[in-house]
Amino acid sequence: MRTRQDDELFMREAISLAQRGTGTVHPNPLVGALLVRSGAIVGRGWHRRAGGPHAEVEAIESARDAGLADLSDCTLYVTLLPSRTHAALRRSRHLLGHPPRRRRHH
């Protein structure tokens, strides 16, 4: 069972990852991300450069590169809320193994 202390530990690590983007991501913010399964870090990422992939995508791809196919039972820790743009949100959901949500327009 995940505890508040676990969450704080993982967020500190995500913040540390975000710092790796110092000097390369301007004008974008520094962002770090961790993907955790059963208390173990299975993916890491940070926003490396302006115009590059988002930190959450980097973390997900890192886990996939390590051979993890199903990420639906993982927790994603991100130092900044994932992008709310429709395309980025759909991509993150797809990479995590969740089908994109469909929006209804009335």
PDB file of all heavy atoms in Angstrom, residues 14-32:
ATOM      1  N   ALA A  14      11.185  13.097  -8.677  1.00  0.00           N
ATOM      2  CA  ALA A  14      10.706  13.739  -9.905  1.00  0.00           C
ATOM      3  C   ALA A  14      11.215  15.181  -9.991  1.00  0.00           C
ATOM      4  O   ALA A  14      11.612  15.648 -11.068  1.00  0.00           O
ATOM      5  CB  ALA A  14       9.180  13.695  -9.980  1.00  0.00           C
ATOM      6  N   ILE A  15      11.237  15.887  -8.867  1.00  0.00           N
ATOM      7  CA  ILE A  15      11.758  17.258  -8.838  1.00  0.00           C
ATOM      8  C   ILE A  15      13.251  17.250  -9.177  1.00  0.00           C
ATOM      9  O   ILE A  15      13.737  18.097  -9.936  1.00  0.00           O
ATOM     10  CB  ILE A  15      11.492  17.916  -7.465  1.00  0.00           C
ATOM     11  CG1 ILE A  15       9.985  18.177  -7.310  1.00  0.00           C
ATOM     12  CG2 ILE A  15      12.295  19.200  -7.302  1.00  0.00           C
ATOM     13  CD1 ILE A  15       9.559  18.519  -5.889  1.00  0.00           C
ATOM     14  N   SER A  16      13.982  16.286  -8.655  1.00  0.00           N
ATOM     15  CA  SER A  16      15.405  16.162  -8.969  1.00  0.00           C
ATOM     16  C   SER A  16      15.609  15.924 -10.470  1.00  0.00           C
ATOM     17  O   SER A  16      16.504  16.512 -11.086  1.00  0.00           O
ATOM     18  CB  SER A  16      16.005  15.020  -8.146  1.00  0.00           C
ATOM     19  OG  SER A  16      17.357  14.828  -8.472  1.00  0.00           O
ATOM     20  N   LEU A  17      14.783  15.078 -11.054  1.00  0.00           N
ATOM     21  CA  LEU A  17      14.867  14.840 -12.500  1.00  0.00           C
ATOM     22  C   LEU A  17      14.583  16.125 -13.275  1.00  0.00           C
ATOM     23  O   LEU A  17      15.252  16.410 -14.274  1.00  0.00           O
ATOM     24  CB  LEU A  17      13.878  13.756 -12.926  1.00  0.00           C
ATOM     25  CG  LEU A  17      14.244  12.322 -12.579  1.00  0.00           C
ATOM     26  CD1 LEU A  17      13.059  11.398 -12.857  1.00  0.00           C
ATOM     27  CD2 LEU A  17      15.464  11.879 -13.374  1.00  0.00           C
ATOM     28  N   ALA A  18      13.602  16.876 -12.827  1.00  0.00           N
ATOM     29  CA  ALA A  18      13.240  18.116 -13.521  1.00  0.00           C
ATOM     30  C   ALA A  18      14.434  19.060 -13.608  1.00  0.00           C
ATOM     31  O   ALA A  18      14.624  19.733 -14.635  1.00  0.00           O
ATOM     32  CB  ALA A  18      12.073  18.805 -12.809  1.00  0.00           C
ATOM     33  N   GLN A  19      15.246  19.093 -12.570  1.00  0.00           N
ATOM     34  CA  GLN A  19      16.402  19.995 -12.537  1.00  0.00           C
ATOM     35  C   GLN A  19      17.393  19.709 -13.665  1.00  0.00           C
ATOM     36  O   GLN A  19      18.153  20.590 -14.065  1.00  0.00           O
ATOM     37  CB  GLN A  19      17.103  19.914 -11.177  1.00  0.00           C
ATOM     38  CG  GLN A  19      16.251  20.368 -10.016  1.00  0.00           C
ATOM     39  CD  GLN A  19      15.776  21.805 -10.153  1.00  0.00           C
ATOM     40  OE1 GLN A  19      16.527  22.684 -10.532  1.00  0.00           O
ATOM     41  NE2 GLN A  19      14.512  22.026  -9.861  1.00  0.00           N
ATOM     42  N   ARG A  20      17.370  18.513 -14.214  1.00  0.00           N
ATOM     43  CA  ARG A  20      18.274  18.170 -15.318  1.00  0.00           C
ATOM     44  C   ARG A  20      18.002  18.991 -16.577  1.00  0.00           C
ATOM     45  O   ARG A  20      18.861  19.088 -17.444  1.00  0.00           O
ATOM     46  CB  ARG A  20      18.181  16.687 -15.638  1.00  0.00           C
ATOM     47  CG  ARG A  20      18.669  15.799 -14.518  1.00  0.00           C
ATOM     48  CD  ARG A  20      18.596  14.352 -14.909  1.00  0.00           C
ATOM     49  NE  ARG A  20      18.995  13.496 -13.816  1.00  0.00           N
ATOM     50  CZ  ARG A  20      19.136  12.187 -13.918  1.00  0.00           C
ATOM     51  NH1 ARG A  20      18.918  11.574 -15.072  1.00  0.00           N
ATOM     52  NH2 ARG A  20      19.497  11.477 -12.881  1.00  0.00           N
ATOM     53  N   GLY A  21      16.819  19.576 -16.652  1.00  0.00           N
ATOM     54  CA  GLY A  21      16.478  20.391 -17.809  1.00  0.00           C
ATOM     55  C   GLY A  21      16.919  21.840 -17.687  1.00  0.00           C
ATOM     56  O   GLY A  21      16.707  22.630 -18.614  1.00  0.00           O
ATOM     57  N   THR A  22      17.561  22.189 -16.575  1.00  0.00           N
ATOM     58  CA  THR A  22      17.994  23.567 -16.359  1.00  0.00           C
ATOM     59  C   THR A  22      18.885  24.029 -17.514  1.00  0.00           C
ATOM     60  O   THR A  22      19.838  23.351 -17.882  1.00  0.00           O
ATOM     61  CB  THR A  22      18.755  23.688 -15.029  1.00  0.00           C
ATOM     62  OG1 THR A  22      17.884  23.309 -13.967  1.00  0.00           O
ATOM     63  CG2 THR A  22      19.235  25.116 -14.791  1.00  0.00           C
ATOM     64  N   GLY A  23      18.510  25.177 -18.080  1.00  0.00           N
ATOM     65  CA  GLY A  23      19.293  25.773 -19.144  1.00  0.00           C
ATOM     66  C   GLY A  23      18.971  25.286 -20.541  1.00  0.00           C
ATOM     67  O   GLY A  23      19.514  25.798 -21.514  1.00  0.00           O
ATOM     68  N   THR A  24      18.082  24.292 -20.650  1.00  0.00           N
ATOM     69  CA  THR A  24      17.785  23.746 -21.985  1.00  0.00           C
ATOM     70  C   THR A  24      16.310  23.799 -22.368  1.00  0.00           C
ATOM     71  O   THR A  24      15.979  23.517 -23.516  1.00  0.00           O
ATOM     72  CB  THR A  24      18.255  22.283 -22.108  1.00  0.00           C
ATOM     73  OG1 THR A  24      17.546  21.483 -21.159  1.00  0.00           O
ATOM     74  CG2 THR A  24      19.749  22.160 -21.882  1.00  0.00           C
ATOM     75  N   VAL A  25      15.440  24.134 -21.422  1.00  0.00           N
ATOM     76  CA  VAL A  25      14.001  24.060 -21.722  1.00  0.00           C
ATOM     77  C   VAL A  25      13.318  25.416 -21.873  1.00  0.00           C
ATOM     78  O   VAL A  25      12.152  25.485 -22.256  1.00  0.00           O
ATOM     79  CB  VAL A  25      13.235  23.232 -20.665  1.00  0.00           C
ATOM     80  CG1 VAL A  25      13.762  21.815 -20.616  1.00  0.00           C
ATOM     81  CG2 VAL A  25      13.300  23.874 -19.297  1.00  0.00           C
ATOM     82  N   HIS A  26      14.042  26.494 -21.607  1.00  0.00           N
ATOM     83  CA  HIS A  26      13.441  27.831 -21.710  1.00  0.00           C
ATOM     84  C   HIS A  26      12.828  28.030 -23.094  1.00  0.00           C
ATOM     85  O   HIS A  26      13.431  27.655 -24.079  1.00  0.00           O
ATOM     86  CB  HIS A  26      14.503  28.895 -21.441  1.00  0.00           C
ATOM     87  CG  HIS A  26      13.949  30.286 -21.496  1.00  0.00           C
ATOM     88  ND1 HIS A  26      13.216  30.807 -20.453  1.00  0.00           N
ATOM     89  CD2 HIS A  26      13.982  31.223 -22.462  1.00  0.00           C
ATOM     90  CE1 HIS A  26      12.844  32.038 -20.794  1.00  0.00           C
ATOM     91  NE2 HIS A  26      13.292  32.314 -22.006  1.00  0.00           N
ATOM     92  N   PRO A  27      11.619  28.532 -23.196  1.00  0.00           N
ATOM     93  CA  PRO A  27      10.802  29.215 -22.198  1.00  0.00           C
ATOM     94  C   PRO A  27       9.850  28.290 -21.445  1.00  0.00           C
ATOM     95  O   PRO A  27       8.996  28.751 -20.714  1.00  0.00           O
ATOM     96  CB  PRO A  27      10.012  30.211 -23.045  1.00  0.00           C
ATOM     97  CG  PRO A  27       9.758  29.464 -24.314  1.00  0.00           C
ATOM     98  CD  PRO A  27      11.033  28.658 -24.542  1.00  0.00           C
ATOM     99  N   ASN A  28       9.991  26.998 -21.621  1.00  0.00           N
ATOM    100  CA  ASN A  28       9.113  26.041 -20.956  1.00  0.00           C
ATOM    101  C   ASN A  28       9.563  25.816 -19.512  1.00  0.00           C
ATOM    102  O   ASN A  28      10.721  26.080 -19.170  1.00  0.00           O
ATOM    103  CB  ASN A  28       9.120  24.715 -21.703  1.00  0.00           C
ATOM    104  CG  ASN A  28       8.603  24.845 -23.117  1.00  0.00           C
ATOM    105  OD1 ASN A  28       7.762  25.680 -23.397  1.00  0.00           O
ATOM    106  ND2 ASN A  28       9.129  24.041 -24.010  1.00  0.00           N
ATOM    107  N   PRO A  29       8.674  25.273 -18.669  1.00  0.00           N
ATOM    108  CA  PRO A  29       9.051  25.001 -17.273  1.00  0.00           C
ATOM    109  C   PRO A  29       9.887  23.727 -17.157  1.00  0.00           C
ATOM    110  O   PRO A  29       9.874  22.873 -18.051  1.00  0.00           O
ATOM    111  CB  PRO A  29       7.700  24.825 -16.580  1.00  0.00           C
ATOM    112  CG  PRO A  29       6.801  24.325 -17.654  1.00  0.00           C
ATOM    113  CD  PRO A  29       7.261  25.002 -18.916  1.00  0.00           C
ATOM    114  N   LEU A  30      10.599  23.607 -16.042  1.00  0.00           N
ATOM    115  CA  LEU A  30      11.299  22.370 -15.711  1.00  0.00           C
ATOM    116  C   LEU A  30      10.262  21.350 -15.256  1.00  0.00           C
ATOM    117  O   LEU A  30       9.432  21.653 -14.391  1.00  0.00           O
ATOM    118  CB  LEU A  30      12.298  22.614 -14.577  1.00  0.00           C
ATOM    119  CG  LEU A  30      13.427  23.595 -14.861  1.00  0.00           C
ATOM    120  CD1 LEU A  30      14.194  23.894 -13.579  1.00  0.00           C
ATOM    121  CD2 LEU A  30      14.346  23.050 -15.923  1.00  0.00           C
ATOM    122  N   VAL A  31      10.289  20.156 -15.826  1.00  0.00           N
ATOM    123  CA  VAL A  31       9.310  19.124 -15.465  1.00  0.00           C
ATOM    124  C   VAL A  31      10.009  17.776 -15.394  1.00  0.00           C
ATOM    125  O   VAL A  31      10.787  17.422 -16.272  1.00  0.00           O
ATOM    126  CB  VAL A  31       8.157  19.039 -16.494  1.00  0.00           C
ATOM    127  CG1 VAL A  31       7.119  18.005 -16.055  1.00  0.00           C
ATOM    128  CG2 VAL A  31       7.510  20.394 -16.705  1.00  0.00           C
ATOM    129  N   GLY A  32       9.729  17.032 -14.316  1.00  0.00           N
ATOM    130  CA  GLY A  32      10.229  15.671 -14.156  1.00  0.00           C
ATOM    131  C   GLY A  32       9.060  14.724 -13.943  1.00  0.00           C
ATOM    132  O   GLY A  32       7.989  15.140 -13.498  1.00  0.00           O
TER     133      GLY A  32
END
